[in-house]
Amino acid sequence: MTETKAPSATPEQDAANEATQSSPRSTFGTVKFSLLRWWMRDVVGTVNQAEVIEKRREDCLLTARYMFMTAMSAGIAVLGLLLSSPAVVIGAMLLSPLMGPIMGLGFALAIGDYHWLKQSARSLAWGTAMAIGLTALLVFFSPIQTITPEIAARTQPNLFDLFVALFSALAGAYAMIRGREGTIVGVAIATALMPPLATVGFGLATWNWTVFSGSLMLYVTNLITIALTAWAMARLYGFKTEMSARNTLFQNFAVASVFILLAIPLALSLQQIAFQTNAQRVIRAEIEEAFVPDAEISRLEVEFRGEPIIASATVYTPVLNPDAEVEVERALANRLGEPVELTITQFQVGTSASAAEAAQLSAARASEEAAAIARADDLAQRLALVAGVSEDDVVIDRTRRRAVVRAERLEGATLAAYKALEERIAATEPDWTIELLPPAAALPDVVTFGEDGPTLEGTQALSVIEWAASRTDIPIVLTGNRVEVENAAEILRERGAEIGVQVTSGPVRAQWGRPEGS
């Protein structure tokens, strides 16, 4: 029998077989190469690095405008903190120019430009010193030096503050690299920086070391997070070092040293944040362990500002545990390595599975009801104050969220003044209907018109007339030439006002008519 040998494989077949055998690795490599090519060609390749760097350098210059805007932003921020007004604090963010030098730090690190790095650091240092000095001076001469909730919230870095800085930096760096930066990006960056910086000034002025050190740590942590995030984004988008032979070893060492020095405080802050996050989880777990499975923790608050750690909790449980505080404190001291002062408020509820949840909901409703009553009482006090009457004269309907008060005559006050008082109160209570009923007073003297209708003053006068008509049961009569008086009457009637018209000569005037039945 003759043996038939299989023909030997060609080199092309061997290559195909090898590709088939290694297809998973080959496929992954192909996908990786395609993604890398897309990123370098379609993303990094579309960035004008020279233009981006030039703009960033301009933002890092230490100019009179930079110092002035930093000072104004810090002044507004500290006033917002003292008044505990988030709206005022947000207003300060619109002015803050701190984004420029901080982003400059990150980009300078990315390309290894020692001169730019030094320039950014100098601008940031002067701006920081200016902000702290001005805010400390304002607080020192301020009659308000109490620690408000807005100040207390910025005396200790936590995980959420770090995320605010991180996401703000990502958005800011992306917008700058892609050429889409604007005011809103600066606001996002300033949110993580200016309030803590103003709080540092508060702590300095009041000699409160806890506030000073805590807010300074928060400021430094956020600053470093933003700078290093900008560095990472710049490197991701292909910004490379420009070091050449003329760069000295000292410059290389200086850039590396700055990077390490920036990372050390961030690492310490991250270590503290990790400890606090883990401590809160451990405290909750130990409290749950001290009670039966059907128990519910309604509220848990933990303070890390001093020693010992202070924690308080509210627990709804079918079975009370009088020794819970001692047991949990002992367990926490062993697990955390630090003393913990714990207060547990226990409420006994039914033994059914839903009893704790029901009790928790009832407590929440009771808390909401108490808050609503307190808010209504506060509204009554403010309305009584602006109306010049007692609180008993203010009618509050909490069901319909409606408040009505009849104002006393205030010397020199016009109908426009009463309208402004009502609007000021209504702006603080957007969910309520506020009605300030004015006393008898003269209507606006003249409603002025131009070629295209009422002028600005005329429009304001019509607004006061319409408001006065809605707050009284007395009709209003307009007098004046036919064209203008009919135009004004039509505007007011469209707004629901009861208006009478008398055609005369001269400009449009308003006067009270006779009530029905008189």
Side-chain angles (χ1 to χ4, degrees):
M1 178 180 293
T2 302
E3 293 183 1
T4 304
K5 293 184 178 180
S8 60
T10 64
E12 290 79 5
Q13 290 174 331
D14 291 338
N17 292 335
E18 184 178 352
T20 303
Q21 293 173 358
S22 60
S23 58
R25 180 178 299 177
S26 176
T27 302
F28 175 76
T30 302
V31 172
K32 179 181 178 182
F33 175 76
S34 299
L35 288 175
L36 183 60
R37 182 177 61 179
W38 165 80
W39 178 262
M40 297 302 296
R41 184 184 62 187
D42 298 335
V43 179
V44 175
T46 61
V47 176
N48 189 336
Q49 294 191 8
E51 182 180 351
V52 173
I53 291 175
E54 183 180 357
K55 288 184 178 180
R56 300 288 69 81
R57 288 183 188 276
E58 292 176 359
D59 292 340
C60 298
L61 296 177
L62 183 60
T63 62
R65 178 189 177 279
Y66 167 78
M67 295 297 290
F68 178 77
M69 297 303 288
T70 300
M72 295 303 98
S73 176
I76 296 173
V78 76
L79 292 176
L81 294 175
L82 291 173
L83 297 172
S84 197
S85 173
V88 177
V89 176
I90 293 172
M93 304 306 99
L94 297 172
L95 303 178
S96 176
L98 290 175
M99 174 180 65
I102 294 175
M103 285 296 181
L105 284 176
F107 279 86
L109 282 172
I111 68 173
D113 191 326
Y114 174 72
H115 176 73
W116 187 9
L117 181 70
K118 186 170 64 173
Q119 182 184 59
S120 299
R122 183 172 65 251
S123 298
L124 183 61
W126 277 104
T128 300
M130 165 71 78
I132 294 176
L134 179 62
T135 53
L137 189 65
L138 289 174
V139 173
F140 182 78
F141 289 104
S142 170
I144 304 175
Q145 295 187 352
T146 56
I147 299 178
T148 64
E150 287 289 323
I151 294 175
R154 294 171 174 89
T155 56
Q156 187 173 11
N158 58 50
L159 192 60
F160 298 107
D161 293 320
L162 187 66
F163 280 141
V164 169
L166 176 62
F167 292 143
S168 299
L170 287 173
Y174 173 80
M176 290 177 175
I177 292 172
R178 304 302 297 179
R180 296 178 175 88
E181 69 268 25
T183 300
I184 193 64
V185 176
V187 173
I189 298 293
T191 301
L193 295 172
M194 189 53 74
L197 195 57
T199 308
V200 173
F202 176 90
L204 180 63
T206 57
W207 291 101
N208 189 320
W209 171 250
T210 301
V211 173
F212 177 83
S213 60
S215 55
L216 183 61
M217 176 62 73
L218 176 59
Y219 171 70
V220 173
T221 300
N222 290 349
L223 184 154
I224 295 169
T225 302
I226 293 170
L228 294 184
T229 303
W231 166 83
M233 287 288 287
R235 296 292 292 177
L236 181 64
Y237 273 88
F239 288 77
K240 298 180 180 179
T241 179
E242 295 179 350
M243 292 291 183
S244 61
R246 60 190 176 88
N247 292 110
T248 63
L249 179 62
F250 172 75
Q251 289 177 323
N252 294 330
F253 176 76
V255 172
S257 299
V258 170
F259 189 92
I260 295 173
L261 290 175
L262 289 178
I264 290 175
L266 180 60
L268 295 176
S269 295
L270 288 175
Q271 183 180 11
Q272 181 182 4
I273 290 171
F275 170 78
Q276 293 178 2
T277 303
N278 180 65
Q280 290 180 328
R281 180 185 60 80
V282 170
I283 292 172
R284 177 176 288 275
E286 289 295 337
I287 294 175
E288 291 176 345
E289 185 70 20
F291 293 91
V292 296
D294 292 335
E296 289 283 344
I297 299 177
S298 174
R299 178 186 60 85
L300 176 62
E301 296 179 356
V302 184
E303 295 288 342
F304 295 96
R305 293 190 176 91
E307 189 175 332
I309 299 171
I310 300 176
S312 61
T314 301
V315 179
Y316 295 93
T317 174
V319 181
L320 299 178
N321 183 357
D323 299 325
E325 291 182 359
V326 176
E327 295 173 359
V328 175
E329 284 181 351
R330 187 181 302 115
L332 290 175
N334 292 332
R335 293 190 61 179
L336 298 178
E338 293 189 16
V340 178
E341 182 180 315
L342 177 65
T343 302
I344 301 178
T345 304
Q346 304 179 42
F347 293 94
Q348 189 169 18
V349 297
T351 57
S352 64
S354 60
E357 288 86 347
Q360 190 173 358
L361 290 174
S362 298
R365 294 191 191 100
S367 177
E368 290 177 358
E369 180 69 14
I373 293 175
R375 186 171 182 177
D377 291 341
D378 177 69
L379 176 59
Q381 291 177 358
R382 287 184 287 144
L383 281 174
L385 180 64
V386 300
V389 298
S390 67
E391 292 184 35
D392 296 335
D393 295 325
V394 181
V395 179
I396 299 289
D397 186 346
R398 290 196 296 112
T399 303
R400 296 181 176 84
R401 292 182 177 272
R402 183 169 180 265
V404 182
V405 62
R406 184 172 295 279
E408 291 290 332
R409 183 183 297 276
L410 302 177
E411 185 176 355
T414 62
L415 288 175
Y418 290 107
K419 179 175 179 291
L421 289 173
E422 179 188 283
E423 291 174 345
R424 184 176 301 177
I425 298 294
T428 64
E429 303 293 340
D431 298 332
W432 283 68
T433 300
I434 309 297
E435 294 185 8
L436 179 66
L437 308 181
L443 292 165
D445 184 35
V446 176
V447 181
T448 56
F449 276 76
E451 295 181 357
D452 300 326
T455 63
L456 177 60
E457 293 78 7
T459 301
Q460 294 173 346
L462 288 174
S463 177
V464 173
I465 294 171
E466 179 263 329
W467 175 81
S470 67
R471 295 294 181 267
T472 64
D473 296 328
I474 305 175
I476 293 176
V477 178
L478 298 180
T479 62
N481 66 81
R482 181 178 299 277
V483 175
E484 293 180 354
V485 78
E486 289 181 353
N487 189 351
E490 182 180 359
I491 293 174
L492 292 172
R493 285 167 183 161
E494 289 177 353
R495 300 177 183 177
E498 181 182 350
I499 300 296
V501 172
Q502 291 182 2
V503 178
T504 62
S505 60
V508 178
R509 299 180 183 276
Q511 59 186 11
W512 295 108
R514 291 185 178 182
E516 295 182 2
S518 62

